[in-house]
Amino acid sequence: MNMPIETLKWIGDTDGTLELIDQRLLPAQSQTLQCHNPEQLFEAIQTLAVRGAPAIGVAAAFGVCLGVRSANTVLDVMKSVNETCDYLAASRPTAVNLFWALDRMRKRAADFAEQNPEDLAAVFKEALLVEACAIQVEDQKMCLAIGQNGESLIPDGGAVLTHCNAGALATAGIGTALAPMYAAHQNGKKFRVFVDETRPLLQGARLTAWELTQAGIDAVLVCDNMAASLMQAGKVDLVITGADRIAANGDAANKIGTLGVSILAKHYGVPFYIAAPSSTFDLSIESGAQIPIEQRNADEVSNFGGTATAPEGINVYNPAFDVTPAEYITAIITENRVIESPDKQKIEQFVKP
Ligand code: MRU
């Protein structure tokens, strides 16, 4: 499938840079941002220049390559890997893909150092870059497989509702929640996507609407508070969203507002799907209650585009994510299969740790 959006790209060899689409500027401006060091990437992750669980993970893997650029010995490389991983792990708390990717880079480094203690730092750095590229390519493949596995859920002539952005901009590939839509579109199906604007940072309006429009998919932007009336009117056949972390029992954290959509879907009998790769599962935690939820700055709610939209000093509650209980999830679409009515047993059986 042709996907022109390149959310993140490593440029050069081991002394290269990470180029990101600066998602803070979309849709008004389409600009890239170069990260030359972990500090720049940390800021890019925290301020959502790069965002979406899988994309954060892939970016962090390359961030480790940025962190080892000036190391001169095998020992130095190892030290820099650990320092960079600790540092980047503090950038955002909820998406488990970040920690998954960093753990994988740490493991690759530990294995390399054990097997090649005398080797040159340059070879070590190459091994790390190869690992980061492998994580990127795997993510692309997982997105394609999610698309294939979820495509048949979209009826020809039907309508899907999605929340936030779980598309190409949120991954290294064609996305998770949007992947079945891209696959259905490619197969010639006609359908409509209702795009929740996704307050407060408008990932739906700014990013999903942009992506779907570019792909020629019929997208209709709605305010978050319109989903109920759409479902009441029978205008939504299914909901597909992404996830930032799925607990062992199937509870899934995703962008704030997803829980409300899932409750509405249950009320109106609309199937509610989560699309996520295996890197989004966290089998170390039993339920969604243990998922750390990021609290973000009050300004995101009380200001817009630098203009105050609420009285100065107003108290603000701004969690970035909420948790949808497994019982509200019709199925989880993964790269391996569609897990119907997810629960602990099925997740243990179908998801490789
Ligand atoms: O705060 P964001 O924009 O990083 O939140 C993103 C989401 O909630 C996505 O739905 C999720 O990460 C899945 S992306 C494939």
Side-chain angles (χ1 to χ4, degrees):
M1 188 175 304
N2 183 21
M3 175 48 66
I5 298 171
E6 242 184 327
T7 300
L8 68 186
K9 183 160 71 175
W10 181 264
I11 297 176
D13 208 336
T14 48
D15 60 350
T17 53
L18 180 62
E19 184 177 276
L20 307 168
I21 293 181
D22 190 341
Q23 300 189 34
R24 297 168 297 194
L25 306 176
L26 286 171
Q29 292 172 53
S30 197
Q31 268 182 36
T32 55
L33 173 75
Q34 318 290 327
C35 294
H36 304 279
N37 54 51
E39 289 74 20
Q40 287 171 329
L41 178 60
F42 187 99
E43 208 215 328
I45 294 174
Q46 215 167 44
T47 60
L48 312 195
V50 60
R51 32 74 42 210
I56 294 171
V58 176
F62 284 118
V64 174
C65 302
L66 295 176
V68 301
R69 281 199 331 177
S70 55
N72 290 320
T73 65
V74 168
L75 265 181
D76 262 4
V77 175
M78 195 64 221
K79 190 166 162 270
S80 303
V81 168
N82 286 324
E83 282 172 3
T84 308
C85 287
D86 290 347
Y87 174 66
L88 290 176
S91 57
R92 290 190 81 188
T94 304
V96 77
N97 311 59
L98 170 66
F99 310 100
W100 173 88
L102 293 174
D103 283 352
R104 198 161 139 180
M105 294 302 284
R106 271 192 223 265
K107 183 161 185 323
R108 181 67 192 105
D111 288 350
F112 183 93
E114 195 186 301
Q115 287 156 18
N116 310 279
E118 307 300 329
D119 236 319
L120 293 171
V123 186
F124 197 168
K125 291 183 199 177
E126 264 166 41
L128 291 169
L129 183 55
V130 167
E131 187 71 355
C133 292
I135 289 174
Q136 180 182 32
V137 170
E138 283 168 35
D139 189 61
Q140 287 162 352
K141 287 186 183 157
M142 288 194 282
C143 290
L144 284 172
I146 287 171
Q148 293 312 313
N149 291 341
E151 192 273 347
S152 62
L153 300 169
I154 299 176
D156 203 3
V160 193
L161 183 136
T162 191
H163 190 77
C164 193
N165 173 267
L169 288 166
T171 64
I174 60 164
T176 59
L178 299 197
M181 303 177 208
Y182 287 126
H185 180 65
Q186 201 182 37
N187 290 348
K189 282 188 190 170
K190 299 270 177 275
F191 57 94
R192 165 164 288 181
V193 184
F194 289 109
V195 180
D196 275 356
E197 66 173 350
T198 317
R199 277 278 289 151
L201 295 179
L202 306 186
Q203 287 92 332
R206 294 188 303 106
L207 309 177
T208 301
W210 183 77
E211 261 196 66
L212 292 176
T213 308
Q214 292 229 326
I217 294 176
D218 175 8
V220 177
L221 178 63
V222 293
C223 300
D224 297 333
N225 52 10
M226 295 171 186
S229 75
L230 275 178
M231 289 192 204
Q232 187 186 43
K235 291 192 172 157
V236 179
D237 294 297
L238 72 160
V239 176
I240 314 181
T241 76
D244 285 81
R245 194 186 293 227
I246 303 174
N249 70 344
D251 292 352
N254 192 48
K255 178 52 55 194
I256 191 74
T258 305
L259 170 61
V261 176
S262 74
I263 294 169
L264 289 174
K266 195 167 181 73
H267 182 80
Y268 287 110
V270 174
F272 179 91
Y273 297 98
I274 293 270
S278 45
S279 54
T280 302
F281 286 79
D282 183 355
L283 302 189
S284 75
I285 57 167
E286 279 184 18
S287 80
Q290 292 152 273
I291 299 177
I293 300 294
E294 177 183 12
Q295 297 290 328
R296 292 188 63 90
N297 202 297
D299 286 356
E300 293 179 353
V301 175
S302 59
N303 282 264
F304 192 76
T307 304
T309 54
E312 208 185 316
I314 184 78
N315 291 323
V316 166
Y317 176 57
N318 187 19
F321 301 97
D322 56 28
V323 177
T324 298
E327 72 229 54
Y328 293 167
I329 302 171
T330 308
I332 302 177
I333 309 161
T334 75
E335 74 274 26
N336 299 318
R337 67 183 68 229
V338 176
I339 308 174
E340 307 270 356
S341 308
D343 62 18
K344 189 171 180 336
Q345 206 189 351
K346 288 183 196 162
I347 287 173
E348 257 169 26
Q349 192 182 348
F350 296 134
V351 180
K352 281 182 256 139

